[in-house]
Amino acid sequence: DAKTTQPPSMDCAEGRAANLPCNHSTISGNEYVYWYRQIHSQGPQYIIHGLKNNETNEMASLIITEDRKSSTLILPHATLRDTAVYYCIVRSGGSNYKLTFGKGTLLTVNP
Amino acid sequence: DAGVIQSPRHEVTEMGQEVTLRCKPISGHDYLFWYRQTMMRGLELLIYFNNNVPIDDSGMPEDRFSAKMPNASFSTLKIQPSEPRDSAVYFCASRTRNEQFFGPGTRLTVL
């Protein structure tokens, strides 16, 4: 699976959009981009995933560049409860369902 | 649905003792994963099962670790004998479609 690079930490004001970047320059054509987050002392939680197109769900939006070498997770209106470590993961398609977690980005939402 | 259930939530034991961690996946999920999380190494996949069959155990650190899944609703991760370096939070996750659902974890402390 392709390696991902994320900033170690970011801050965001409550109510504002949080934009979390991820670089995955070696991603191949059949690899998906997944985002999970881990709130302190809890298990990771799935947020969203995508292959080529931008995706949106009730939690977030995922913007993938046209060359697929990077992506951005957008939390449109961050709340204090969104403070967590956010993991960007690249996973092969097919039947290999392994997820390789890196260090992620610690997002701190400030009041 | 109660989600993925893990027990115990906390375990404190002495070096050399056998430790058994338990997991009940979400009903209907056909994949089950065991992860370990430490400050030093982050979140690591230890082993995963598909339809109760181990598919990839390459993350199991050594022979002291073993995992079983006797049926679709139960799995165990056993450490025998335990060592202080096994202290970590152990997560179980089960999968449907594109999401892995994580349990609350078991915090293991080996003295």
Side-chain angles (χ1 to χ4, degrees):
Chain A
D1 294 336
K3 186 175 179 178
T4 61
T5 303
Q6 300 178 252
S9 63
M10 294 182 64
D11 286 289
C12 177
E14 187 178 21
R16 304 297 294 269
N19 296 279
L20 292 91
C22 179
N23 285 321
H24 30 78
S25 58
T26 61
I27 194 170
S28 59
N30 70 339
E31 290 182 316
Y32 290 78
V33 179
Y34 279 74
W35 284 83
Y36 279 73
R37 74 178 182 183
Q38 186 173 22
I39 297 170
H40 182 61
S41 297
Q42 297 182 20
Q45 176 190 23
Y46 167 84
I47 302 173
I48 199 168
H49 77 283
L51 181 63
K52 296 180 182 178
N53 301 321
N54 298 335
E55 302 288 345
T56 295
N57 63 20
E58 64 279 3
M59 289 183 68
S61 295
L62 173 61
I63 308 298
I64 302 174
T65 58
E66 193 168 341
D67 63 8
R68 302 208 324 123
K69 293 184 177 182
S70 66
S71 60
T72 301
L73 179 74
I74 300 173
L75 308 179
H77 306 286
T79 70
L80 299 180
R81 288 174 294 180
D82 292 322
T83 293
V85 177
Y86 287 77
Y87 298 98
C88 171
I89 302 164
V90 170
R91 185 187 76 77
S92 298
S95 59
N96 179 0
Y97 297 113
K98 291 174 63 171
L99 295 178
T100 301
F101 287 80
K103 296 186 182 301
T105 296
L106 172 60
L107 174 69
T108 302
V109 181
N110 300 303
Chain B
D1 197 325
V4 175
I5 299 172
Q6 293 187 245
S7 64
R9 293 293 309 277
H10 301 273
E11 176 82 23
V12 180
T13 191
E14 293 188 347
M15 182 174 64
Q17 296 298 306
E18 177 179 297
V19 175
T20 299
L21 311 181
R22 297 173 175 80
C23 175
K24 176 178 170 55
I26 295 172
S27 177
H29 287 193
D30 55 355
Y31 282 81
L32 183 139
F33 304 80
W34 282 100
Y35 291 85
R36 177 175 69 175
Q37 187 170 35
T38 62
M39 288 293 293
M40 290 294 293
R41 301 177 65 89
L43 193 59
E44 306 172 280
L45 176 66
L46 300 178
I47 185 172
Y48 77 94
F49 296 82
N50 176 217
N51 292 324
N52 313 337
V53 176
I55 302 300
D56 187 339
D57 65 355
S58 60
M60 296 287 264
E62 45 195 281
D63 292 346
R64 297 184 297 106
F65 286 69
S66 62
K68 294 182 180 179
M69 192 166 186
N71 57 62
S73 59
F74 183 65
S75 177
T76 59
L77 178 67
K78 185 176 293 186
I79 308 173
Q80 166 63 14
S82 58
E83 297 183 2
R85 59 192 168 121
D86 302 330
S87 297
V89 180
Y90 291 81
F91 290 104
C92 175
S94 65
R95 176 194 168 274
T96 183
R97 290 191 172 183
N98 296 301
E99 298 184 39
Q100 286 190 24
F101 292 82
F102 284 75
T106 295
R107 181 173 295 276
L108 173 64
T109 303
V110 183
L111 303 175

